[in-house]
Amino acid sequence: MYVIQFIRGFCMALADSVPGVSGGTVAFLLGFYDQFIGSIDDLLSGNMEKKKKALFFLIKLGIGWVCGFILAMLVLASVFESHIYIISSLFIGFIVFAIPIVMMEEKECLLAKKSCALFVILGIAVVSAITYFNPTGGGTGMNLDHLNLKLGIYVFVAGMITISAMVLPGISGSTLLLIMGLYLPIVAAIKEFFHLNFACFKTVFLFGCGVIVGAFSVVKLIRKALENFRAQTIYTIVGLMIGSIYAVIMGPTSLENPKPAMTWHEFSIIAFVIGGVIIIGMQKMKGLKK
């Protein structure tokens, strides 16, 4: 059981660390999403017995997550920009193969409320609008070397938004960071911090505070939405995932050294298929516990 929770956390961290699908999507694919959300909520507002049970579960999951996150941060900063089109193709594979699996997992709920399918359009519109109107895209980049008040607030808010997306089984928080022009700067700052370069401490601290505040504020809302409006929530999540394909395609334009948006010429079918195989493999892991 300890090994299973470690693997779950490790897989969530890898997903959270790259633009594509979120750690929440991985939890969904591996069949423990409701337990994950419920445990966080119980830790915040449950009775003592529920708090202990939730803490025990989250610690086991968290150890795997921390290991996966550190590994991803140490590797990603050095390969992300130089192989952006291959990595973007991999991310699209994650998303495209994850969408039907999520829908199959929630088939009964979705079929019972087909009229709520319009929420898919809402999800697509939200991500597409954020990507299209991204003020840091198209060559402006984001330099975090010298934080001022305005930029510090932006990093804090980005942390809140990122963790909210990471918890939701839909668009990746890393995809949103990519849209906001902060993905590579944040990855680089965390990597330098792990190498004991504390010049970037303020950036990591502000982002981390945003993550904590976002986690405390969004989890209860998500749990209530899944309990009372599950079909609408799942349809919206599917829309967010579909919309995030556009975000990943446009991702290269938000790099510090901007590149053209990905086209069919740069698209790697091999990386796309590898992404799909990874997602299918994660879904198959649901039976590992049994």
Side-chain angles (χ1 to χ4, degrees):
M1 189 62 179
Y2 288 96
V3 176
I4 296 298
Q5 302 302 355
F6 179 89
I7 293 173
R8 286 173 167 180
F10 189 88
C11 291
M12 285 183 70
L14 295 182
D16 284 332
S17 303
V18 299
V21 296
S22 68
T25 306
V26 170
F28 208 90
L29 295 175
L30 298 184
F32 69 99
Y33 182 73
D34 287 285
Q35 183 185 9
F36 169 61
I37 290 295
S39 295
I40 297 176
D41 190 31
D42 288 340
L43 186 64
L44 299 176
S45 57
N47 57 39
M48 186 56 65
E49 184 179 347
K50 287 184 177 180
K51 285 180 184 290
K52 289 181 179 179
K53 185 177 179 181
L55 182 62
F56 190 53
F57 170 78
L58 292 173
I59 286 176
K60 291 186 290 184
L61 196 69
I63 293 173
W65 193 94
V66 169
C67 291
F69 185 77
I70 292 174
L71 177 64
M73 288 298 103
L74 293 177
V75 173
L76 280 174
S78 58
V79 302
F80 183 79
E81 189 163 0
S82 59
H83 298 85
I84 181 64
Y85 295 117
I86 293 176
I87 295 174
S88 295
S89 302
L90 180 73
F91 299 159
I92 292 175
F94 289 162
I95 300 166
V96 169
F97 282 84
I99 289 171
I101 293 176
V102 169
M103 295 186 71
M104 287 299 297
E105 290 290 329
E106 294 291 328
K107 181 173 65 174
E108 184 177 339
C109 168
L110 297 179
L111 290 177
K113 294 191 176 182
K114 295 179 182 178
S115 60
C116 297
L118 289 174
F119 281 85
V120 172
I121 299 175
L122 173 64
I124 294 173
V126 167
V127 181
S128 299
I130 293 173
T131 305
Y132 183 78
F133 294 108
N134 169 27
T136 63
T140 57
M142 182 64 69
N143 191 330
L144 301 181
D145 291 340
H146 304 287
L147 282 180
N148 53 36
L149 179 61
K150 183 178 179 180
L151 191 54
I153 293 173
Y154 186 69
V155 170
F156 177 83
V157 173
M160 290 182 61
I161 295 173
T162 299
I163 193 61
S164 301
M166 286 178 174
V167 171
L168 277 169
I171 184 172
S172 164
S174 296
T175 299
L176 291 181
L177 282 180
L178 189 66
I179 293 169
M180 292 184 283
L182 283 174
Y183 178 72
L184 207 57
I186 292 294
V187 169
I190 295 174
K191 180 182 178 182
E192 289 301 313
F193 186 75
F194 286 152
H195 284 117
L196 303 181
N197 179 2
F198 297 111
C200 55
F201 173 76
K202 285 194 290 187
T203 298
V204 176
F205 176 75
L206 287 171
F207 185 76
C209 288
V211 167
I212 294 171
V213 172
F216 274 75
S217 59
V218 77
V219 168
K220 188 174 289 292
L221 180 63
I222 294 173
R223 190 178 194 180
K224 292 295 182 183
L226 287 170
E227 288 175 354
N228 301 316
F229 306 100
R230 192 171 186 90
Q232 294 92 325
T233 304
I234 299 299
Y235 275 123
T236 303
I237 287 168
V238 170
L240 291 172
M241 295 176 75
I242 295 172
S244 67
I245 296 174
Y246 172 63
V248 173
I249 290 172
M250 298 301 295
T253 66
S254 66
L255 295 175
E256 185 175 353
N257 300 306
K259 297 183 179 181
M262 187 171 69
T263 64
W264 283 112
H265 180 70
E266 292 89 13
F267 180 74
S268 170
I269 187 65
I270 295 175
F272 174 81
V273 172
I274 291 173
V277 170
I278 292 172
I279 290 297
I280 293 172
M282 287 182 179
Q283 204 273 337
K284 296 295 184 183
M285 281 177 60
K286 283 182 66 175
L288 188 60
K289 182 179 175 181
K290 297 179 182 179

